[in-house]
Amino acid sequence: MEKSSGFSDNIAPESSDAMSSSAAASCPVENLLLSVENLSLKEGSADTNNHHGLSTRNYLLHDNGGSLPRIRETRNNGFSQYHTGFENSMLLPPLLFSESVWGSNSLSNGGSFQGSILQPRARSLVPNFNFLSGSALDLGTGRAGSGLGGVDNSMVQNQEELKKVRIFLGLLQGDSIVNYCSDQHGSRTIQGLLRLRNPEITREIYNKVLALSSRGIAVVLELMLDQHGWHVFGELIDALNYQQLKLITYEITKNLDNFVSLTLDTHGSNSIRKVIRLLRRSPLVTLVMNNLRAAFFTIMTNRIGSYAVSECFNQLSAEDNRLLYEAAIECCLDLAIDHEGSLALIRVINTIQGLQRYRLLDILSTYVAFLSQDPKGNYVVQKVISLNNPLFTQKICHHLRGYYGTISLQKGGSHIAEKCLDTEWKSWVIEDFLSNTNTLLQVAKDEFGNYVIQKALKVTKKSGSPLYQKLLLRLQPHLSILQSGYGRNVFNLITGGRSVKKV
C-alpha cells in the first residue's frame, strides 16, 4: 500500500496576466469617431435628437427630472466643454442611442492592507457605450499579434479625426474615466486608442489616469484593481516613454500601504507583475523591489501577493533579487510554517543561488526537528531532502536523531522518515527504532508509522544490512499484536500473510 506525500514542486499555477486578445478582438475604435461626429457643440445643442425631441444631453437631464436652463462653456486643451449648471454633475460621453444599455463592473476579491484606503471600488453602473464600428479609425487597428491588430498611425494624423478623439477624451474626467474603463466595452475602446501609439492621444490618457478620483486616489490605482481597468493600465504602460513610465511607477510605489493592497488583489497583482516585466532591465524596477522587500512577509504569506515576488525571481537576475532573497532568509522559519508562505518558500528554494542558497538551506536543515513536526513545515523539509545535496541531507538526518519515533507517528513527519531511509544515513533512522522496542512497536502499529517500518525492512533487506535481522528479532515476538489494525501491513511483510498463534 502506498500513501501520497501531498508534496509537489508544482505548487500553484500562477494566474495568467496576458491581456485577452479575444476580449479586445471586437473593440471597434471607429464608433468613437461616429459618436463624436454626431455632436454639434454649438449653443449647447446637439444635432442628433432622441425621442420626445430631446437632444442626447437634454434627454439625460430630462430622465433625472432636470432641465437645461443654462449652459456655460469652458475650454479644455483648446476644445469646448459644456457644463449644465448642476454643481455635482459629471460629464460622460453622450449616448448614441435613445435606449441606454447598462453594464456593471465586476469586483475583485482583494483585501485592504493595514491603513490603506485603496480597495476595489463599490459596484457602480456605467453606460455600455456600443459605439465603435465602421469608422476609418478602426481600419487602422490591425497590429499583428493583437486582438485589435496593427495600427496605421496615419489614420489619426488627420487633424479633424484627432480633434474628434480629443473631444471624446475631454469628456472623461475624474471618476468618469474610472467608470468608463471599468466597463468591458469602454475598456476596449481606450485600449484601442492606446494601441494607435499616437503620442498626443497617449499623453491625453496618461494625464487623466494620473489625476485623482473622488476618493482622493490616483485614477491609475483605481484602474489597476478593476477586472477591465487593469487591461487599460497594461496597454498604457506599454505606450509610455521613459519619463512617463517613471512617474507612473512612482505613483504606484510612493505609498506602501496602497502598493501592498494592489499586490494582494488579483487584478492589482497582475498589474504589478506587468510592471516588473516591463521594468526588468530598467533601474526603475528598484522602486518596486524596495516595496516588496519592505512588506515581504505579508506579501509572501498571501497566495496572490506571492506571485508578484515570484515574478521578480523569474524575470530578474540573482543580483537584482539579492534583497528579496535576503528577506526570505531572515523570515524563512516563519514562512515555512505558514500555508501560503511554505509554498512561496519552496519557490524561493527553486531559484536562489550561491552563498544565499547555502545560508537558507543551512537554516532549514538546522531547525529540521521543529519543521518536521509542523503540518506545513514538513513539506519544506521534504523539498530540501529532494535536492539530494549530501551536505544538507546528512545534516537533516543527523538533527532528527532521537525524533524519528515521534515524527513517524505524524503524517508529514512519516514521509520525512521514509525519505531519510532512502539516504546513505538510513542506519541512523533504524538505530533510533532499535534503541527502544516499545517505540518500534508503537510505530509499527500506527496509521502512518507502519509505512516507515515497512520501508525500513525493505531497504535493509535489499541492501543485505545486518540491521534487517535486528529489526526482525525485535518485531517477531510481537507478531500476534501486529495481526490486526494498521500493524497488519508490517505483519504481512514479515510473514507473507501467514497467521500466527497468539501467545
Side-chain angles (χ1 to χ4, degrees), residues 19-20 169 172 177-195 197 202 205-206 209 219-220 222-224 226-240 248 271 274:
M19 300 204 182
S20 169
L169 292 176
L172 295 174
I177 190 169
V178 177
N179 290 337
Y180 190 67
C181 292
S182 297
D183 174 74
Q184 183 179 24
H185 298 286
S187 171
R188 291 175 179 177
T189 298
I190 302 300
Q191 289 179 66
L193 291 176
L194 289 168
R195 285 193 179 102
R197 295 298 189 264
T202 298
I205 298 173
Y206 164 78
V209 301
V219 168
V220 64
E222 302 267 21
L223 296 181
M224 292 170 73
D226 185 81
Q227 72 163 345
H228 300 301
W230 84 270
H231 292 294
V232 173
F233 169 79
E235 196 64 53
L236 172 66
I237 61 176
D238 275 339
L240 298 181
I248 286 285
S271 299
K274 169 79 175 181

Side-chain angles (χ1 to χ4, degrees), residues 31-41 45-49 56 94-97 131 164:
N31 279 340
L32 170 60
L33 298 182
L34 293 178
S35 65
V36 177
E37 197 169 25
N38 285 338
L39 291 174
S40 176
L41 300 180
S45 64
D47 290 340
T48 304
N49 290 333
T56 302
L95 298 173
L96 289 183
F97 309 103
F131 44 83
K164 295 173 184 176

